[in-house]
Every structure is written in C-alpha cells, then in structure tokens.
Amino acid sequence: MLECADVDVGNGILNIRYSKGHDQHYIALHDSMADLMRRYDSAIREWFPSRKYFFPAPGDTAHPHTWVEKNFRRVWAEVSNDRTATAYAFRHHYATANINRWIGDGFAFDDKLTCLSKSMGHTTLESTRYYYSVVPGLSDIVLKKTEDGFNELVPEVVS
C-alpha cells in the first residue's frame, strides 16, 4: 500500500502510513536500496507515469496482503527445494543479523536497537527483542545488553 507520494527517492526516505500496528513511521533507506528504488521508479514511470502506488497492482490498486507470500513461494520454488522458508523469515533475518553485528558495541547497542525497532515499525523494544525469543539463550544476551546500557545511562534508577 506504499503510495508514490510516500516515497522520497531523492533522499531515500519512506513514509510508512500503513503498518501492522497502524502506526506511521519513517524509514531511511540504505544507499544501495535507495539506488535500487530510484532505478525501479525511473523504469516503471515509463509505463505508469502517474501511478498512485509505488508498486502498483493491475488497475493501479494496492496489492492484496497475500501477494508477497504467494510470489515469494513462486520465486523461492525456482531456486530452492526448501519448503519451510517464508517471506517473513527475511524480516526475522534482518532483525537478528543487525543485532548480531552490534554485540560488542557497548552503549551504542541501545541506540542502534532503538533505531532498528523504530525502522521496523515496532512501538516497543520488546517487540524487536521478540526475534531473539525464538532462539534459546540469545534472548537473554540481548536483554542483558540493553539492561547494561540502561544501567550505564541511569544507574540511580536501577536497584
């Protein structure tokens, strides 16, 4: 349901109006993704110069919510025999891969987790920590890292 008006391809910023929690938020794209979005936009404008949706379905409507999973399964079947993969697994991987890169970063860990949480549209850090709750032991590491950072920031609050 991403509308063209909500995509700033020049600056690589997405205005997400419709998310799982119905909370509006902004995403700053990595330069490589912003470039890909600019190239896509340039190419599709040749066919649909005044489209409403950035990724239009036929008739310039929004894709149904089942579209991503249906097409993921079709494309995945062409490259893999693994039938357990899901489109949602990429979101899970995005969260855990980012968090894994920060484990030794000290206090910056909290700041990065907050930014990741907001970029994923989560209203709480617990929603982002959830991605580690399904991996035994790692959830405790993430919780400890965020508590340690909080303790360093405001030691008198923690008893």
Side-chain angles (χ1 to χ4, degrees):
M1 294 174 38
L2 186 64
E3 295 183 12
C4 291
D6 295 324
V7 179
D8 179 348
V9 292
N11 293 308
I13 305 292
L14 303 181
N15 176 8
I16 306 299
R17 289 191 217 202
Y18 310 106
S19 66
K20 179 168 71 172
H22 304 291
D23 290 326
Q24 179 180 8
H25 63 281
Y26 295 91
I27 297 175
L29 299 171
H30 186 274
D31 290 342
S32 62
M33 181 55 72
D35 182 54
L36 187 61
M37 297 277 283
R38 280 189 287 275
R39 291 185 357 223
Y40 166 82
D41 186 52
S42 177
I44 199 163
R45 277 187 189 278
E46 292 182 24
W47 288 300
F48 303 104
S50 58
R51 71 193 192 282
K52 177 179 180 178
Y53 293 96
F54 195 77
F55 302 106
D60 197 22
T61 60
H63 288 279
H65 72 280
T66 56
W67 184 89
V68 171
E69 190 64 35
K70 176 183 164 191
N71 283 284
F72 171 81
R73 294 228 172 265
R74 183 181 56 79
V75 172
W76 190 256
E78 293 177 18
V79 298
S80 175
N81 292 325
D82 178 3
R83 300 293 179 238
T84 62
T86 64
Y88 188 79
F90 283 104
R91 184 173 169 86
H92 186 107
H93 176 75
Y94 172 77
T96 57
N98 274 286
I99 292 168
N100 287 344
R101 284 198 326 252
W102 312 329
I103 293 298
D105 285 355
F107 181 71
F109 184 92
D110 280 346
D111 295 334
K112 291 177 181 179
L113 186 65
T114 300
C115 289
L116 175 65
S117 183
K118 294 298 180 193
S119 77
M120 294 181 76
H122 296 160
T123 55
T124 66
L125 290 181
E126 286 71 31
S127 296
T128 310
R129 288 184 189 132
Y130 163 78
Y131 289 98
Y132 270 90
S133 69
V134 296
V135 182
L138 293 178
S139 172
D140 295 336
I141 292 170
V142 172
L143 183 59
K144 179 165 179 17
K145 289 295 289 182
T146 54
E147 286 175 346
D148 288 349
F150 184 74
N151 290 348
E152 291 171 18
L153 179 64
V154 191
E156 66 277 2
V157 174
V158 180
S159 54

